[in-house]
Amino acid sequence: KMSLQEVANERGMIVGTIVGHLEKLKGMDKMPDIEHLKEGVEGFEAMYDAFLDSPDGKLTPIYEQFDGRFSFDDLKVVRLFVE
Protein backbone atom coordinates (compact mmCIF):
# COMPACT_ATOMS: atom_id res chain seq x y z
CA LYS A 1 0.00 0.00 0.00
CA MET A 2 1.32 3.39 -0.99
CA SER A 3 1.34 6.65 0.91
CA LEU A 4 -0.40 9.69 -0.53
CA GLN A 5 3.00 11.19 -1.36
CA GLU A 6 4.03 8.04 -3.23
CA VAL A 7 0.80 8.04 -5.25
CA ALA A 8 1.23 11.74 -6.02
CA ASN A 9 4.84 11.24 -7.11
CA GLU A 10 3.95 8.28 -9.30
CA ARG A 11 1.22 10.25 -11.06
CA GLY A 12 3.06 13.56 -11.28
CA MET A 13 0.57 15.30 -8.99
CA ILE A 14 0.53 16.91 -5.57
CA VAL A 15 -0.95 15.29 -2.48
CA GLY A 16 -3.84 17.76 -2.43
CA THR A 17 -4.96 16.55 -5.86
CA ILE A 18 -4.92 12.92 -4.73
CA VAL A 19 -6.92 13.82 -1.61
CA GLY A 20 -9.40 15.67 -3.83
CA HIS A 21 -9.82 12.55 -5.94
CA LEU A 22 -10.45 10.49 -2.79
CA GLU A 23 -13.07 13.01 -1.66
CA LYS A 24 -14.85 12.63 -5.01
CA LEU A 25 -14.75 8.84 -4.71
CA LYS A 26 -16.23 9.05 -1.22
CA GLY A 27 -19.02 11.24 -2.56
CA MET A 28 -19.73 8.62 -5.24
CA ASP A 29 -19.67 5.86 -2.59
CA LYS A 30 -16.71 4.21 -4.37
CA MET A 31 -14.09 4.65 -1.67
CA PRO A 32 -11.09 2.31 -1.89
CA ASP A 33 -9.53 0.84 1.24
CA ILE A 34 -7.49 3.69 2.72
CA GLU A 35 -7.18 2.40 6.28
CA HIS A 36 -3.37 2.41 5.96
CA LEU A 37 -3.38 6.20 5.49
CA LYS A 38 -4.25 6.74 9.16
CA GLU A 39 -0.68 5.82 10.10
CA GLY A 40 0.78 8.68 8.08
CA VAL A 41 -1.29 11.38 9.76
CA GLU A 42 0.19 12.72 12.99
CA GLY A 43 -2.60 13.70 15.36
CA PHE A 44 -5.19 11.59 13.55
CA GLU A 45 -7.26 10.79 16.66
CA ALA A 46 -7.41 14.42 17.82
CA MET A 47 -8.55 15.60 14.40
CA TYR A 48 -11.01 12.71 14.07
CA ASP A 49 -12.58 13.57 17.43
CA ALA A 50 -12.83 17.22 16.39
CA PHE A 51 -14.70 16.21 13.23
CA LEU A 52 -17.07 14.05 15.27
CA ASP A 53 -17.83 17.08 17.46
CA SER A 54 -18.18 19.39 14.45
CA PRO A 55 -21.73 20.31 13.44
CA ASP A 56 -20.84 20.60 9.74
CA GLY A 57 -17.41 19.03 9.12
CA LYS A 58 -15.96 22.25 7.73
CA LEU A 59 -12.17 22.43 7.67
CA THR A 60 -11.40 26.00 8.73
CA PRO A 61 -12.95 25.87 12.22
CA ILE A 62 -11.05 22.67 12.98
CA TYR A 63 -7.84 24.09 11.49
CA GLU A 64 -8.25 27.11 13.77
CA GLN A 65 -9.15 24.95 16.77
CA PHE A 66 -5.68 23.42 16.50
CA ASP A 67 -4.01 26.80 15.78
CA GLY A 68 -2.87 25.62 12.35
CA ARG A 69 -0.89 22.72 13.79
CA PHE A 70 -2.30 20.35 11.16
CA SER A 71 -2.33 20.91 7.41
CA PHE A 72 -5.52 21.20 5.41
CA ASP A 73 -4.48 18.08 3.48
CA ASP A 74 -4.20 16.09 6.73
CA LEU A 75 -7.57 17.44 7.86
CA LYS A 76 -9.10 16.36 4.55
CA VAL A 77 -7.62 12.87 4.91
CA VAL A 78 -9.05 12.52 8.40
CA ARG A 79 -12.43 13.77 7.22
CA LEU A 80 -12.51 10.88 4.74
CA PHE A 81 -12.86 8.52 7.72
CA VAL A 82 -15.79 10.37 9.27
CA GLU A 83 -19.20 8.97 8.35
Side-chain angles (χ1 to χ4, degrees):
K1 305 227 174 191
M2 296 170 60
S3 72
L4 289 174
Q5 188 62 60
E6 290 169 331
V7 173
N9 290 346
E10 183 175 277
R11 297 179 185 217
M13 299 176 176
I14 61 171
V15 170
T17 301
I18 303 302
V19 173
H21 292 169
L22 289 170
E23 289 175 318
K24 285 180 185 173
L25 288 170
K26 181 179 180 181
M28 296 172 8
D29 203 28
K30 295 184 178 188
M31 192 64 151
D33 177 17
I34 60 167
E35 196 68 24
H36 68 284
L37 296 180
K38 288 181 180 181
E39 299 167 14
V41 179
E42 185 178 333
F44 181 92
E45 290 298 326
M47 288 183 276
Y48 183 81
D49 290 343
F51 275 112
L52 291 180
D53 291 341
S54 170
D56 56 16
K58 291 189 176 178
L59 297 171
T60 301
I62 294 174
Y63 179 83
E64 291 171 351
Q65 176 181 336
F66 291 107
D67 298 320
R69 200 170 76 213
F70 303 117
S71 72
F72 277 100
D73 283 341
D74 281 347
L75 288 167
K76 288 178 183 179
V77 170
V78 173
R79 187 169 63 179
L80 292 170
F81 290 90
V82 178
E83 295 298 323

